[in-house]
Amino acid sequence: MSGQPELPFVEALMPPISPEGRSGPRLWVRRLVIFRDRQTVIRDISLKPGLNIIWTPDMSSSGALAHGSGKTTFCRLLRACLGEPGFATKGQRERLVSHLPDGFFAAEVLIDGVCWVAVRSLGMSGSDYVAQVDSIEEVIERGHQPGDHKVIDPLVISSFFSVFQEDPLPEVGLDRTWDIFRAWLTRDQECRLADILAWRSSRTQTHSRAQELGQKAKLAMIRLALRALDPQERAAAAREQELKDAIEAEARLRVFQRRRYEEDLKTVRQALGVGDEVGFEDTIDQKGLLSLAKAKLANAMRGSVSKVPDITSIFARRDELEEEHRALTEERQKLDTEATIKREKATGLRYEADLGEIDISQGKVKVCPVCRVRVNDALAKGCGISLERCDLSARKAEIADKRTQAKTLDGEATVAEQKAQQIKVQIQELAPRRRVLKKDAEAAQKAIQAASVMTEEAQTRVYEARRTLDDVRSLHAATHALRSGMSSNLEMEKIREQLDAGRRTGSRSY
């Protein structure tokens, strides 16, 4: 801080010397300012290039303690400007909102000589953003504008961690690399200096993803940043992760196989009707699962299969009788139809003959059978309808012919009816034979169905017995592999020894 006293246990801190070709550090937080509002500055803190140590002088003589002087708060505000999500606990944030509703803080962060100002809100008003400007005062004057970044993380990652983009540490990943370095570069006494990689508790509510990583991952990242992690060790770490994933996958598979093995073994014992005490091999007291499964298959194959009865002749006689019944029925229907038609035609002819006789002989007044006009009138005045003269003799002959035809048709209808009656008798005589054959066919069909069911049941028993024997053999073959456990992985042991040696060397060096 500007104007702060020097540490009493050193004479002077020499400023760092920039590498050749650089005028300053690649990453430098040059300044941090806390505002009550846009016009009021609470603290303006400048930081030097290189290592900055925030400390409080010994105040024991005045009865005061160094705790609560703001060291951790300063570090948390600094980390917030560098992208850490939370800079205060929930209770602290509520008190800040109450006392500084318009408060905010900002930091000038130089990345490869370019100044970026990160602004974070303390209270309810304002918003968080990052702008490329030369100073905090300039960003206060311009305010938040479209196109400003939300956080500074992408700028830092693109500038410093592109080397990890294609080859990140497998246990860290590119997205959490800056989380680890930010926590390490801005660590504070909250760590209690328990370890070089110790970091704050989750109770501080920083919401940093670095808290999710173990010591090995953090150490690997720090060693990588200090160029103390050679390519061979990195390759060994990647191989270790591959082997670890493979071993975990194998362990999950073996758990699944063990559970499936126990379930299948239980099913096999239930199928054979034995308890858990029966093993695969025979003993003096009892037969094993293999012998029981073989015996079950042999019994199933010896099972009787019902012989299917020969019903060919039954169905042939039934079909022949049904064909005869059909032909007789059709013939009877034909004769009935023929008799009906001839009866109707004979009735029509007799009606016409009767009508003609009535027309010819109506007492003394004769009526023309053609035009229904009295013959005397037609002879006296002439017929105005027909050009031919009435021929009573021909008319009488026609009437006689119709009666003859009607009589003939009646005779033919009678003959047809007699034949139909005879066929009806034949059809009735077929009925008992049809009933007998129908019962025989139904009984044969039931016998076929019963034989089919018995055959299917026998085949099912054989199939189930054969499957049980196959399952017993498979389970017997898998027993040794399951009992042997996971095979030792010599490559994994060698790689872990190599990594442990490298990590011990790194821990002693730093």
Short mmCIF file of all heavy atoms in Angstrom, two decimals, residues 185-248:
data_model
loop_
_atom_site.label_atom_id
_atom_site.label_comp_id
_atom_site.label_asym_id
_atom_site.label_seq_id
_atom_site.Cartn_x
_atom_site.Cartn_y
_atom_site.Cartn_z
N LEU A 185 -2.33 -17.17 -6.11
CA LEU A 185 -1.62 -15.90 -6.22
C LEU A 185 -2.13 -14.85 -5.24
O LEU A 185 -1.41 -13.90 -4.93
CB LEU A 185 -1.73 -15.37 -7.66
CG LEU A 185 -1.03 -16.20 -8.74
CD1 LEU A 185 -1.37 -15.65 -10.12
CD2 LEU A 185 0.47 -16.22 -8.52
N THR A 186 -3.35 -15.01 -4.76
CA THR A 186 -3.93 -13.98 -3.87
C THR A 186 -4.32 -14.60 -2.52
O THR A 186 -5.26 -14.14 -1.88
CB THR A 186 -5.17 -13.36 -4.52
OG1 THR A 186 -6.14 -14.37 -4.79
CG2 THR A 186 -4.82 -12.66 -5.81
N ARG A 187 -3.60 -15.63 -2.08
CA ARG A 187 -3.94 -16.29 -0.82
C ARG A 187 -3.71 -15.35 0.35
O ARG A 187 -2.88 -14.44 0.29
CB ARG A 187 -3.15 -17.59 -0.67
CG ARG A 187 -1.66 -17.38 -0.51
CD ARG A 187 -0.91 -18.69 -0.75
NE ARG A 187 -1.37 -19.76 0.09
CZ ARG A 187 -0.88 -20.03 1.28
NH1 ARG A 187 0.09 -19.26 1.77
NH2 ARG A 187 -1.31 -21.03 1.98
N ASP A 188 -4.44 -15.58 1.44
CA ASP A 188 -4.35 -14.68 2.59
C ASP A 188 -4.25 -15.49 3.87
O ASP A 188 -4.23 -16.71 3.85
CB ASP A 188 -5.56 -13.74 2.63
CG ASP A 188 -6.86 -14.51 2.63
OD1 ASP A 188 -7.19 -15.08 3.67
OD2 ASP A 188 -7.52 -14.54 1.57
N GLN A 189 -4.19 -14.79 5.01
CA GLN A 189 -3.98 -15.45 6.29
C GLN A 189 -5.15 -16.35 6.67
O GLN A 189 -5.05 -17.14 7.60
CB GLN A 189 -3.75 -14.41 7.40
CG GLN A 189 -3.18 -15.03 8.68
CD GLN A 189 -3.13 -14.02 9.80
OE1 GLN A 189 -3.70 -12.95 9.69
NE2 GLN A 189 -2.43 -14.36 10.87
N GLU A 190 -6.25 -16.20 5.98
CA GLU A 190 -7.38 -17.07 6.25
C GLU A 190 -6.99 -18.53 6.07
O GLU A 190 -7.58 -19.42 6.65
CB GLU A 190 -8.54 -16.72 5.31
CG GLU A 190 -9.84 -17.37 5.70
CD GLU A 190 -10.96 -16.96 4.76
OE1 GLU A 190 -10.68 -16.29 3.76
OE2 GLU A 190 -12.10 -17.33 5.03
N CYS A 191 -5.96 -18.77 5.26
CA CYS A 191 -5.46 -20.13 5.09
C CYS A 191 -4.71 -20.60 6.33
O CYS A 191 -4.42 -21.79 6.46
CB CYS A 191 -4.49 -20.18 3.90
SG CYS A 191 -5.18 -19.54 2.37
N ARG A 192 -4.33 -19.71 7.19
CA ARG A 192 -3.56 -19.99 8.40
C ARG A 192 -2.18 -20.59 8.08
O ARG A 192 -1.54 -21.14 8.95
CB ARG A 192 -4.33 -20.96 9.31
CG ARG A 192 -5.62 -20.40 9.86
CD ARG A 192 -5.35 -19.25 10.83
NE ARG A 192 -6.60 -18.75 11.39
CZ ARG A 192 -7.28 -17.70 10.92
NH1 ARG A 192 -6.81 -17.04 9.86
NH2 ARG A 192 -8.39 -17.28 11.49
N LEU A 193 -1.77 -20.45 6.82
CA LEU A 193 -0.45 -20.91 6.38
C LEU A 193 -0.21 -22.37 6.76
O LEU A 193 0.90 -22.78 7.07
CB LEU A 193 0.65 -20.03 6.97
CG LEU A 193 0.61 -18.55 6.55
CD1 LEU A 193 1.73 -17.79 7.22
CD2 LEU A 193 0.70 -18.41 5.05
N ALA A 194 -1.29 -23.18 6.77
CA ALA A 194 -1.15 -24.59 7.13
C ALA A 194 -0.34 -25.35 6.10
O ALA A 194 0.39 -26.28 6.43
CB ALA A 194 -2.54 -25.22 7.28
N ASP A 195 -0.47 -24.94 4.84
CA ASP A 195 0.24 -25.63 3.78
C ASP A 195 0.34 -24.67 2.61
O ASP A 195 -0.46 -23.74 2.48
CB ASP A 195 -0.51 -26.91 3.37
CG ASP A 195 0.29 -27.74 2.37
OD1 ASP A 195 1.18 -28.49 2.79
OD2 ASP A 195 0.02 -27.60 1.15
N ILE A 196 1.34 -24.89 1.76
CA ILE A 196 1.53 -23.98 0.64
C ILE A 196 0.32 -23.95 -0.28
O ILE A 196 0.06 -22.96 -0.97
CB ILE A 196 2.81 -24.38 -0.15
CG1 ILE A 196 3.17 -23.31 -1.19
CG2 ILE A 196 2.60 -25.73 -0.82
CD1 ILE A 196 3.58 -22.00 -0.60
N LEU A 197 -0.46 -25.04 -0.28
CA LEU A 197 -1.63 -25.11 -1.16
C LEU A 197 -2.95 -25.02 -0.39
O LEU A 197 -4.01 -25.16 -0.99
CB LEU A 197 -1.62 -26.42 -1.95
CG LEU A 197 -0.43 -26.60 -2.91
CD1 LEU A 197 -0.47 -27.97 -3.52
CD2 LEU A 197 -0.44 -25.53 -3.98
N ALA A 198 -2.89 -24.80 0.93
CA ALA A 198 -4.13 -24.73 1.70
C ALA A 198 -4.93 -23.51 1.27
O ALA A 198 -4.38 -22.44 1.00
CB ALA A 198 -3.82 -24.65 3.19
N TRP A 199 -6.24 -23.71 1.22
CA TRP A 199 -7.09 -22.60 0.77
C TRP A 199 -8.30 -22.53 1.67
O TRP A 199 -8.55 -23.40 2.49
CB TRP A 199 -7.50 -22.81 -0.69
CG TRP A 199 -7.79 -21.53 -1.40
CD1 TRP A 199 -6.95 -20.47 -1.52
CD2 TRP A 199 -8.99 -21.18 -2.05
NE1 TRP A 199 -7.55 -19.48 -2.23
CE2 TRP A 199 -8.82 -19.88 -2.57
CE3 TRP A 199 -10.20 -21.82 -2.26
CZ2 TRP A 199 -9.79 -19.21 -3.28
CZ3 TRP A 199 -11.17 -21.16 -2.98
CH2 TRP A 199 -10.97 -19.86 -3.48
N ARG A 200 -9.09 -21.49 1.52
CA ARG A 200 -10.12 -21.15 2.48
C ARG A 200 -11.28 -22.15 2.51
O ARG A 200 -11.48 -22.93 1.59
CB ARG A 200 -10.67 -19.75 2.17
CG ARG A 200 -11.12 -19.58 0.74
CD ARG A 200 -11.01 -18.16 0.28
NE ARG A 200 -9.68 -17.64 0.46
CZ ARG A 200 -8.68 -17.88 -0.38
NH1 ARG A 200 -8.86 -18.66 -1.42
NH2 ARG A 200 -7.50 -17.37 -0.17
N SER A 201 -12.01 -22.09 3.58
CA SER A 201 -13.13 -22.99 3.80
C SER A 201 -14.31 -22.59 2.92
O SER A 201 -14.45 -21.43 2.52
CB SER A 201 -13.52 -22.96 5.28
OG SER A 201 -14.78 -23.58 5.46
N SER A 202 -15.19 -23.59 2.66
CA SER A 202 -16.40 -23.29 1.89
C SER A 202 -17.34 -22.37 2.66
O SER A 202 -18.25 -21.78 2.07
CB SER A 202 -17.12 -24.60 1.55
OG SER A 202 -17.48 -25.29 2.73
N ARG A 203 -17.12 -22.22 3.99
CA ARG A 203 -17.98 -21.33 4.77
C ARG A 203 -17.81 -19.87 4.39
O ARG A 203 -18.63 -19.03 4.71
CB ARG A 203 -17.69 -21.51 6.26
CG ARG A 203 -18.16 -22.86 6.82
CD ARG A 203 -17.80 -23.02 8.26
NE ARG A 203 -16.35 -23.00 8.46
CZ ARG A 203 -15.75 -23.05 9.65
NH1 ARG A 203 -16.48 -23.11 10.75
NH2 ARG A 203 -14.44 -23.03 9.75
N THR A 204 -16.70 -19.56 3.73
CA THR A 204 -16.50 -18.18 3.28
C THR A 204 -17.35 -17.83 2.07
O THR A 204 -17.42 -16.68 1.66
CB THR A 204 -15.02 -17.95 2.92
OG1 THR A 204 -14.65 -18.89 1.91
CG2 THR A 204 -14.15 -18.14 4.13
N GLN A 205 -18.00 -18.83 1.45
CA GLN A 205 -18.95 -18.63 0.36
C GLN A 205 -18.33 -17.89 -0.83
O GLN A 205 -18.89 -16.96 -1.38
CB GLN A 205 -20.19 -17.88 0.87
CG GLN A 205 -20.92 -18.61 1.99
CD GLN A 205 -22.07 -17.82 2.55
OE1 GLN A 205 -22.54 -16.85 1.95
NE2 GLN A 205 -22.55 -18.24 3.72
N THR A 206 -17.14 -18.36 -1.22
CA THR A 206 -16.49 -17.75 -2.39
C THR A 206 -17.05 -18.32 -3.69
O THR A 206 -16.92 -17.70 -4.74
CB THR A 206 -14.98 -18.03 -2.36
OG1 THR A 206 -14.78 -19.44 -2.40
CG2 THR A 206 -14.36 -17.47 -1.10
N HIS A 207 -17.63 -19.50 -3.64
CA HIS A 207 -18.18 -20.18 -4.82
C HIS A 207 -17.13 -20.45 -5.88
O HIS A 207 -17.43 -20.51 -7.07
CB HIS A 207 -19.32 -19.36 -5.43
CG HIS A 207 -20.39 -18.97 -4.45
ND1 HIS A 207 -21.17 -19.89 -3.80
CD2 HIS A 207 -20.76 -17.75 -3.98
CE1 HIS A 207 -22.01 -19.26 -2.99
NE2 HIS A 207 -21.77 -17.97 -3.07
N SER A 208 -15.90 -20.62 -5.45
CA SER A 208 -14.82 -20.90 -6.39
C SER A 208 -14.74 -22.39 -6.65
O SER A 208 -14.84 -23.21 -5.73
CB SER A 208 -13.48 -20.40 -5.84
OG SER A 208 -12.42 -20.81 -6.69
N ARG A 209 -14.53 -22.75 -7.91
CA ARG A 209 -14.43 -24.16 -8.27
C ARG A 209 -13.12 -24.79 -7.81
O ARG A 209 -12.97 -26.01 -7.82
CB ARG A 209 -14.60 -24.33 -9.77
CG ARG A 209 -16.01 -24.04 -10.25
CD ARG A 209 -16.10 -24.06 -11.75
NE ARG A 209 -15.31 -23.00 -12.36
CZ ARG A 209 -15.25 -22.77 -13.67
NH1 ARG A 209 -15.93 -23.53 -14.50
NH2 ARG A 209 -14.52 -21.78 -14.14
N ALA A 210 -12.16 -23.96 -7.40
CA ALA A 210 -10.89 -24.50 -6.90
C ALA A 210 -11.10 -25.27 -5.61
O ALA A 210 -10.30 -26.14 -5.26
CB ALA A 210 -9.89 -23.37 -6.69
N GLN A 211 -12.17 -24.96 -4.87
CA GLN A 211 -12.44 -25.68 -3.63
C GLN A 211 -12.82 -27.13 -3.88
O GLN A 211 -12.77 -27.94 -2.97
CB GLN A 211 -13.57 -24.98 -2.87
CG GLN A 211 -13.18 -23.61 -2.32
CD GLN A 211 -14.36 -22.90 -1.68
OE1 GLN A 211 -15.45 -22.91 -2.23
NE2 GLN A 211 -14.12 -22.28 -0.54
N GLU A 212 -13.20 -27.46 -5.09
CA GLU A 212 -13.64 -28.82 -5.40
C GLU A 212 -12.47 -29.75 -5.70
O GLU A 212 -12.66 -30.96 -5.79
CB GLU A 212 -14.57 -28.80 -6.62
CG GLU A 212 -15.79 -27.89 -6.45
CD GLU A 212 -16.53 -27.69 -7.76
OE1 GLU A 212 -16.10 -28.29 -8.77
OE2 GLU A 212 -17.52 -26.96 -7.77
N LEU A 213 -11.26 -29.21 -5.85
CA LEU A 213 -10.11 -30.00 -6.27
C LEU A 213 -9.30 -30.46 -5.07
O LEU A 213 -9.26 -29.80 -4.03
CB LEU A 213 -9.22 -29.20 -7.22
CG LEU A 213 -9.89 -28.73 -8.52
CD1 LEU A 213 -8.95 -27.85 -9.29
CD2 LEU A 213 -10.30 -29.93 -9.36
N GLY A 214 -8.62 -31.59 -5.23
CA GLY A 214 -7.77 -32.12 -4.18
C GLY A 214 -6.37 -31.54 -4.23
O GLY A 214 -6.00 -30.78 -5.13
N GLN A 215 -5.57 -31.95 -3.22
CA GLN A 215 -4.20 -31.41 -3.11
C GLN A 215 -3.35 -31.83 -4.31
O GLN A 215 -2.52 -31.03 -4.78
CB GLN A 215 -3.57 -31.92 -1.81
CG GLN A 215 -4.17 -31.30 -0.55
CD GLN A 215 -3.83 -29.82 -0.44
OE1 GLN A 215 -4.65 -28.97 -0.82
NE2 GLN A 215 -2.65 -29.51 0.03
N LYS A 216 -3.54 -33.04 -4.82
CA LYS A 216 -2.72 -33.49 -5.94
C LYS A 216 -2.94 -32.62 -7.17
O LYS A 216 -1.99 -32.24 -7.86
CB LYS A 216 -3.03 -34.95 -6.26
CG LYS A 216 -2.51 -35.92 -5.23
CD LYS A 216 -2.78 -37.36 -5.67
CE LYS A 216 -2.24 -38.36 -4.67
NZ LYS A 216 -2.48 -39.76 -5.09
N ALA A 217 -4.20 -32.30 -7.44
CA ALA A 217 -4.50 -31.47 -8.61
C ALA A 217 -3.93 -30.07 -8.44
O ALA A 217 -3.37 -29.49 -9.38
CB ALA A 217 -6.00 -31.42 -8.82
N LYS A 218 -4.07 -29.50 -7.24
CA LYS A 218 -3.54 -28.16 -7.02
C LYS A 218 -2.02 -28.14 -7.15
O LYS A 218 -1.44 -27.23 -7.78
CB LYS A 218 -3.96 -27.67 -5.64
CG LYS A 218 -5.46 -27.46 -5.47
CD LYS A 218 -5.79 -27.04 -4.05
CE LYS A 218 -7.29 -26.90 -3.87
NZ LYS A 218 -7.64 -26.52 -2.48
N LEU A 219 -1.35 -29.13 -6.54
CA LEU A 219 0.10 -29.19 -6.63
C LEU A 219 0.55 -29.34 -8.07
O LEU A 219 1.52 -28.70 -8.51
CB LEU A 219 0.62 -30.35 -5.78
CG LEU A 219 2.13 -30.61 -5.86
CD1 LEU A 219 2.91 -29.39 -5.38
CD2 LEU A 219 2.51 -31.84 -5.04
N ALA A 220 -0.15 -30.17 -8.85
CA ALA A 220 0.23 -30.36 -10.24
C ALA A 220 0.12 -29.05 -11.02
O ALA A 220 0.99 -28.73 -11.85
CB ALA A 220 -0.65 -31.43 -10.87
N MET A 221 -0.93 -28.28 -10.77
CA MET A 221 -1.10 -27.02 -11.49
C MET A 221 -0.02 -26.02 -11.11
O MET A 221 0.53 -25.30 -11.97
CB MET A 221 -2.48 -26.44 -11.21
CG MET A 221 -3.62 -27.20 -11.86
SD MET A 221 -3.47 -27.31 -13.66
CE MET A 221 -3.47 -25.58 -14.11
N ILE A 222 0.31 -25.92 -9.81
CA ILE A 222 1.35 -24.98 -9.39
C ILE A 222 2.70 -25.39 -9.96
O ILE A 222 3.48 -24.56 -10.45
CB ILE A 222 1.40 -24.89 -7.86
CG1 ILE A 222 0.04 -24.45 -7.31
CG2 ILE A 222 2.49 -23.93 -7.41
CD1 ILE A 222 -0.50 -23.18 -7.92
N ARG A 223 3.01 -26.67 -9.92
CA ARG A 223 4.28 -27.14 -10.48
C ARG A 223 4.32 -26.89 -11.99
O ARG A 223 5.37 -26.56 -12.54
CB ARG A 223 4.43 -28.64 -10.21
CG ARG A 223 4.66 -28.97 -8.73
CD ARG A 223 4.80 -30.45 -8.53
NE ARG A 223 5.96 -30.96 -9.25
CZ ARG A 223 6.11 -32.22 -9.63
NH1 ARG A 223 5.14 -33.10 -9.39
NH2 ARG A 223 7.19 -32.60 -10.28
N LEU A 224 3.17 -27.03 -12.64
CA LEU A 224 3.13 -26.76 -14.07
C LEU A 224 3.38 -25.29 -14.35
O LEU A 224 4.08 -24.93 -15.31
CB LEU A 224 1.77 -27.19 -14.62
CG LEU A 224 1.59 -27.16 -16.14
CD1 LEU A 224 2.60 -28.10 -16.81
CD2 LEU A 224 0.19 -27.56 -16.52
N ALA A 225 2.81 -24.41 -13.52
CA ALA A 225 3.02 -22.96 -13.70
C ALA A 225 4.48 -22.58 -13.49
O ALA A 225 5.00 -21.66 -14.13
CB ALA A 225 2.12 -22.19 -12.76
N LEU A 226 5.14 -23.28 -12.58
CA LEU A 226 6.55 -22.98 -12.27
C LEU A 226 7.52 -23.79 -13.13
O LEU A 226 8.72 -23.80 -12.87
CB LEU A 226 6.83 -23.26 -10.79
CG LEU A 226 6.02 -22.41 -9.80
CD1 LEU A 226 6.32 -22.84 -8.37
CD2 LEU A 226 6.33 -20.94 -9.98
N ARG A 227 6.96 -24.46 -14.14
CA ARG A 227 7.76 -25.29 -15.04
C ARG A 227 8.51 -26.38 -14.27
O ARG A 227 9.65 -26.73 -14.59
CB ARG A 227 8.75 -24.45 -15.84
CG ARG A 227 8.08 -23.46 -16.80
CD ARG A 227 9.12 -22.78 -17.69
NE ARG A 227 8.47 -21.88 -18.64
CZ ARG A 227 8.23 -20.60 -18.42
NH1 ARG A 227 8.61 -20.07 -17.27
NH2 ARG A 227 7.66 -19.86 -19.33
N ALA A 228 7.91 -26.90 -13.22
CA ALA A 228 8.51 -27.96 -12.42
C ALA A 228 7.82 -29.30 -12.67
O ALA A 228 8.01 -30.24 -11.90
CB ALA A 228 8.43 -27.60 -10.94
N LEU A 229 7.02 -29.38 -13.71
CA LEU A 229 6.32 -30.63 -14.07
C LEU A 229 6.72 -30.99 -15.49
O LEU A 229 6.33 -30.32 -16.45
CB LEU A 229 4.79 -30.42 -13.97
CG LEU A 229 3.93 -31.66 -14.19
CD1 LEU A 229 4.22 -32.69 -13.11
CD2 LEU A 229 2.46 -31.29 -14.18
N ASP A 230 7.58 -32.01 -15.62
CA ASP A 230 8.12 -32.35 -16.94
C ASP A 230 7.08 -33.11 -17.76
O ASP A 230 6.10 -33.64 -17.24
CB ASP A 230 9.41 -33.16 -16.81
CG ASP A 230 9.20 -34.42 -15.98
OD1 ASP A 230 8.09 -34.98 -16.02
OD2 ASP A 230 10.14 -34.83 -15.28
N PRO A 231 7.30 -33.18 -19.08
CA PRO A 231 6.33 -33.87 -19.96
C PRO A 231 6.13 -35.34 -19.60
O PRO A 231 5.03 -35.87 -19.75
CB PRO A 231 6.96 -33.71 -21.35
CG PRO A 231 7.84 -32.51 -21.24
CD PRO A 231 8.37 -32.52 -19.84
N GLN A 232 7.22 -36.01 -19.13
CA GLN A 232 7.07 -37.42 -18.79
C GLN A 232 6.09 -37.62 -17.63
O GLN A 232 5.26 -38.52 -17.64
CB GLN A 232 8.44 -38.03 -18.42
CG GLN A 232 9.41 -38.17 -19.58
CD GLN A 232 10.07 -36.85 -19.95
OE1 GLN A 232 9.94 -35.85 -19.22
NE2 GLN A 232 10.79 -36.83 -21.08
N GLU A 233 6.20 -36.74 -16.65
CA GLU A 233 5.30 -36.87 -15.51
C GLU A 233 3.87 -36.54 -15.92
O GLU A 233 2.90 -37.14 -15.44
CB GLU A 233 5.75 -35.96 -14.37
CG GLU A 233 4.95 -36.18 -13.10
CD GLU A 233 5.49 -35.38 -11.94
OE1 GLU A 233 6.64 -34.88 -12.03
OE2 GLU A 233 4.77 -35.26 -10.94
N ARG A 234 3.71 -35.55 -16.80
CA ARG A 234 2.37 -35.22 -17.28
C ARG A 234 1.76 -36.39 -18.05
O ARG A 234 0.59 -36.73 -17.91
CB ARG A 234 2.41 -33.98 -18.17
CG ARG A 234 2.78 -32.70 -17.43
CD ARG A 234 2.52 -31.50 -18.29
NE ARG A 234 1.10 -31.38 -18.60
CZ ARG A 234 0.61 -30.53 -19.50
NH1 ARG A 234 1.43 -29.74 -20.19
NH2 ARG A 234 -0.68 -30.45 -19.72
N ALA A 235 2.61 -37.02 -18.90
CA ALA A 235 2.13 -38.18 -19.63
C ALA A 235 1.77 -39.31 -18.68
O ALA A 235 0.77 -40.02 -18.87
CB ALA A 235 3.19 -38.64 -20.64
N ALA A 236 2.59 -39.47 -17.62
CA ALA A 236 2.29 -40.51 -16.63
C ALA A 236 0.98 -40.21 -15.90
O ALA A 236 0.19 -41.11 -15.61
CB ALA A 236 3.44 -40.61 -15.63
N ALA A 237 0.72 -38.92 -15.62
CA ALA A 237 -0.53 -38.54 -14.95
C ALA A 237 -1.73 -38.84 -15.85
O ALA A 237 -2.77 -39.32 -15.38
CB ALA A 237 -0.49 -37.06 -14.57
N ALA A 238 -1.57 -38.53 -17.14
CA ALA A 238 -2.67 -38.82 -18.06
C ALA A 238 -2.92 -40.32 -18.16
O ALA A 238 -4.06 -40.79 -18.17
CB ALA A 238 -2.35 -38.25 -19.44
N ARG A 239 -1.80 -41.10 -18.20
CA ARG A 239 -1.95 -42.55 -18.27
C ARG A 239 -2.57 -43.10 -16.98
O ARG A 239 -3.38 -44.02 -17.02
CB ARG A 239 -0.57 -43.19 -18.51
CG ARG A 239 -0.61 -44.71 -18.62
CD ARG A 239 -1.54 -45.16 -19.71
NE ARG A 239 -1.60 -46.61 -19.82
CZ ARG A 239 -2.56 -47.27 -20.41
NH1 ARG A 239 -3.58 -46.60 -20.96
NH2 ARG A 239 -2.54 -48.58 -20.49
N GLU A 240 -2.17 -42.49 -15.85
CA GLU A 240 -2.75 -42.92 -14.57
C GLU A 240 -4.27 -42.71 -14.58
O GLU A 240 -5.03 -43.56 -14.10
CB GLU A 240 -2.13 -42.13 -13.42
CG GLU A 240 -2.72 -42.49 -12.06
CD GLU A 240 -2.42 -41.45 -10.99
OE1 GLU A 240 -2.32 -40.27 -11.33
OE2 GLU A 240 -2.32 -41.84 -9.82
N GLN A 241 -4.70 -41.57 -15.11
CA GLN A 241 -6.14 -41.30 -15.16
C GLN A 241 -6.85 -42.30 -16.06
O GLN A 241 -7.95 -42.78 -15.73
CB GLN A 241 -6.38 -39.87 -15.65
CG GLN A 241 -7.83 -39.43 -15.59
CD GLN A 241 -8.37 -39.40 -14.17
OE1 GLN A 241 -7.66 -39.01 -13.25
NE2 GLN A 241 -9.62 -39.80 -14.00
N GLU A 242 -6.21 -42.63 -17.19
CA GLU A 242 -6.81 -43.62 -18.09
C GLU A 242 -6.95 -44.98 -17.39
O GLU A 242 -8.00 -45.63 -17.47
CB GLU A 242 -5.95 -43.77 -19.35
CG GLU A 242 -5.95 -42.53 -20.25
CD GLU A 242 -5.05 -42.72 -21.46
OE1 GLU A 242 -4.45 -43.81 -21.58
OE2 GLU A 242 -4.92 -41.78 -22.27
N LEU A 243 -5.86 -45.39 -16.71
CA LEU A 243 -5.91 -46.67 -16.02
C LEU A 243 -6.91 -46.64 -14.87
O LEU A 243 -7.61 -47.63 -14.62
CB LEU A 243 -4.52 -47.04 -15.50
CG LEU A 243 -3.46 -47.32 -16.57
CD1 LEU A 243 -2.10 -47.53 -15.92
CD2 LEU A 243 -3.84 -48.56 -17.38
N LYS A 244 -6.97 -45.51 -14.19
CA LYS A 244 -7.94 -45.38 -13.08
C LYS A 244 -9.37 -45.51 -13.60
O LYS A 244 -10.20 -46.22 -13.01
CB LYS A 244 -7.75 -44.02 -12.40
CG LYS A 244 -8.67 -43.80 -11.22
CD LYS A 244 -8.42 -42.44 -10.59
CE LYS A 244 -9.40 -42.18 -9.45
NZ LYS A 244 -9.19 -40.83 -8.86
N ASP A 245 -9.64 -44.84 -14.72
CA ASP A 245 -10.98 -44.95 -15.31
C ASP A 245 -11.27 -46.38 -15.73
O ASP A 245 -12.39 -46.89 -15.55
CB ASP A 245 -11.11 -44.01 -16.51
CG ASP A 245 -11.03 -42.54 -16.11
OD1 ASP A 245 -11.26 -42.24 -14.92
OD2 ASP A 245 -10.75 -41.69 -16.98
N ALA A 246 -10.25 -47.04 -16.31
CA ALA A 246 -10.45 -48.42 -16.76
C ALA A 246 -10.70 -49.35 -15.58
O ALA A 246 -11.57 -50.24 -15.64
CB ALA A 246 -9.22 -48.90 -17.55
N ILE A 247 -9.94 -49.14 -14.48
CA ILE A 247 -10.12 -49.99 -13.30
C ILE A 247 -11.49 -49.76 -12.67
O ILE A 247 -12.17 -50.70 -12.24
CB ILE A 247 -8.99 -49.72 -12.29
CG1 ILE A 247 -7.66 -50.25 -12.85
CG2 ILE A 247 -9.29 -50.37 -10.94
CD1 ILE A 247 -6.46 -49.92 -12.01
N GLU A 248 -11.92 -48.49 -12.61
CA GLU A 248 -13.24 -48.19 -12.06
C GLU A 248 -14.34 -48.80 -12.92
O GLU A 248 -15.33 -49.34 -12.39
CB GLU A 248 -13.42 -46.67 -11.94
CG GLU A 248 -12.56 -46.03 -10.87
CD GLU A 248 -12.72 -44.52 -10.84
OE1 GLU A 248 -13.39 -43.99 -11.75
OE2 GLU A 248 -12.18 -43.88 -9.92
#
